[in-house]
Structures are given as structure tokens and as C-alpha cells.
Amino acid sequence: MSRSQAPATSNAYRFGFDPEIAFKIEGISFGLPLSQIKVSSFFRELLKAPVHGEGTQRNPIDLDKVSRVTLSQVQSFHRILNCRRFEPEPVLSEEQWTDALRLATLWDFDHIRAYAIKNLKNSFLDPLQRIQLAEECNVKEWLHPAYARLCARRAPLTAKEGQILGFERFAALCRIREEVLRERKFNVWVDSVEGSWELTGGELAFLPRINRAEDLK
């Protein structure tokens, strides 16, 4: 949100009958509708005992002091919050949807979190990136398909990937790759379908062992 894009807001400002609370981050002020932020446990706690006069256009609540977020994350989140109220679905980049997911998770906005997850369904085709984001934002349903795609690709797992995954998980995936290859006795390596996280038959062959592996739960 540039300074020109940031909505003028105070605790008396209304969109229809919906008052807004004023915030600022990195020196940029913006407003969030009270009815929307009350669904968030983070904001309910923040507003439970407000400092006198805070939340107005003259004295916005400084998010830099209460939450580890960036301006770009707030920009993406603000656009999605607005579209959920009255605007058409925003056209956002993968990075912007990711920023919104991180903030919705951090601030406990379940409806925006679900909306961002839906729009990221077929994004992040790199399985390691998808695993990292799934862990950061607790999107557990992304993990096992991403493990399967790692196992089924032609290239073996690398030491660098092992550092990111951790030893136990890295060892479990290497073991599963070897077991499936030995059991099927022919080449199972597959090329993933570009633009989709719907697993191919070769990738699905790894899922039963992944689902049973204690180190991958």
C-alpha cells in the first residue's frame, strides 16, 4: 500500500455502517474494518485493553511494535480482506498470495487463510518450497503430496535438501525411494504435470509408504 493507496481512516470512519480501526506499519497508515478483525484472536486480544486514543487516524496502532510483519505482507492481506467484503477477486502474484497466507495464519484469520490456500492449490511447483510453506503455515495436507513428488522425480535428493528437511525426514524419503524402486523392479521416475499438484500414477505409488512412515507424520 503506497501512501496514496492507504485508506484514510479513523475510529469514526465508516464504510456503510462498519467502523474501521487505524493501524500503521513502516510509517504507512491503513484501516481494517472492526467487524472483520474481531474474528481474529490476535486482534481481539490487541483491542481488549487499548491505549486511550489508539486506533484513530491521528494515533494509529503501530504494528511494528506488536507483530513481526512487513509492509508487503500487509498490502497483500489488505487487498484480500477488501475483496472478501465488496471487491472482485484480486489478481495477485504467487508471492502476494503467500504473504497473505502467512499473515492470515499469524493473525488467526481462518476464512482468509482458507481463501489463500485455495488460490495456492496449484502454485509452488517446487516440492521443497511447498514443504517449507506448509510447515510455516501449518498446511498439513500439502506435505505428503510434496514428499511423493520429491521421491518420484528423476534427480536424487541432495545434501542441501537434506539440511532443509532434517536428517530423519531426509533418511525416510531416501529409504522410501529405494524400497519402491526395488519392489516395482522398473523405472518409476516420472516428470510431474506442469501447473498442477494432482499427482501422477508414478507419484501416487509412493504415498502408501509415506502415509505409514512415522518420521513423516
Side-chain angles (χ1 to χ4, degrees):
M1 199 173 345
S2 67
R3 294 182 186 274
S4 61
Q5 291 173 316
T9 180
S10 71
N11 61 351
Y13 174 79
R14 291 175 179 270
F15 180 82
F17 297 100
D18 196 354
E20 292 196 343
I21 304 298
F23 299 87
K24 71 176 181 179
I25 184 168
E26 298 178 22
I28 305 296
S29 297
F30 63 98
L32 294 177
L34 182 60
S35 64
Q36 294 271 12
I37 64 177
K38 285 172 69 176
V39 306
S40 158
S41 61
F42 171 84
F43 282 105
R44 287 199 305 270
E45 191 66 28
L46 183 65
L47 299 174
K48 187 179 291 183
V51 176
H52 179 70
E54 265 196 330
T56 66
Q57 186 176 4
R58 289 187 176 182
N59 188 24
I61 298 170
D62 191 349
L63 285 178
D64 289 318
K65 296 180 179 179
V66 297
S67 188
R68 292 182 297 176
V69 298
T70 66
L71 177 60
S72 64
Q73 289 174 327
V74 171
Q75 288 176 323
S76 302
F77 180 85
H78 193 273
R79 288 185 64 185
I80 295 175
L81 188 69
N82 278 342
C83 89
R84 296 292 287 174
R85 294 169 67 205
F86 56 86
E87 294 182 354
E89 181 173 305
V91 179
L92 301 180
S93 68
E94 205 168 86
E95 182 179 0
Q96 289 172 320
W97 279 113
T98 302
D99 280 342
L101 174 59
R102 288 190 171 109
L103 221 54
T105 302
L106 178 66
W107 285 349
D108 194 24
F109 280 88
D110 290 341
H111 63 300
I112 294 181
R113 173 181 152 83
Y115 188 48
I117 290 172
K118 176 185 174 183
N119 278 274
L120 286 168
K121 180 180 179 181
N122 284 320
S123 298
F124 283 91
L125 296 186
D126 177 85
L128 201 62
Q129 285 182 311
R130 198 166 177 87
I131 289 167
Q132 289 176 293
L133 183 62
E135 292 187 324
E136 180 183 349
C137 296
N138 195 31
V139 189
K140 294 182 179 179
E141 62 267 29
W142 286 357
L143 287 173
H144 285 196
Y147 295 153
R149 184 152 291 180
L150 270 180
C151 286
R153 74 182 189 189
R154 297 177 185 276
L157 277 72
T158 66
K160 184 177 180 180
E161 290 170 334
Q163 291 177 339
I164 295 171
L165 292 167
F167 175 76
E168 290 185 355
R169 186 161 48 175
F170 177 74
L173 293 176
C174 289
R175 184 188 70 245
I176 289 169
R177 276 172 60 95
E178 291 302 316
E179 288 175 352
V180 172
L181 180 62
R182 188 166 56 246
E183 179 183 274
R184 299 188 69 169
K185 298 179 181 177
F186 59 87
N187 186 7
V188 297
W189 313 136
V190 296
D191 295 316
S192 57
V193 178
E194 187 175 350
S196 174
W197 265 94
E198 184 176 346
L199 298 183
T200 64
E203 291 167 337
L204 287 170
F206 293 89
L207 271 183
R209 279 187 168 81
I210 288 172
N211 292 337
R212 293 194 302 268
E214 290 294 328
D215 293 336
L216 300 177
K217 291 182 178 178

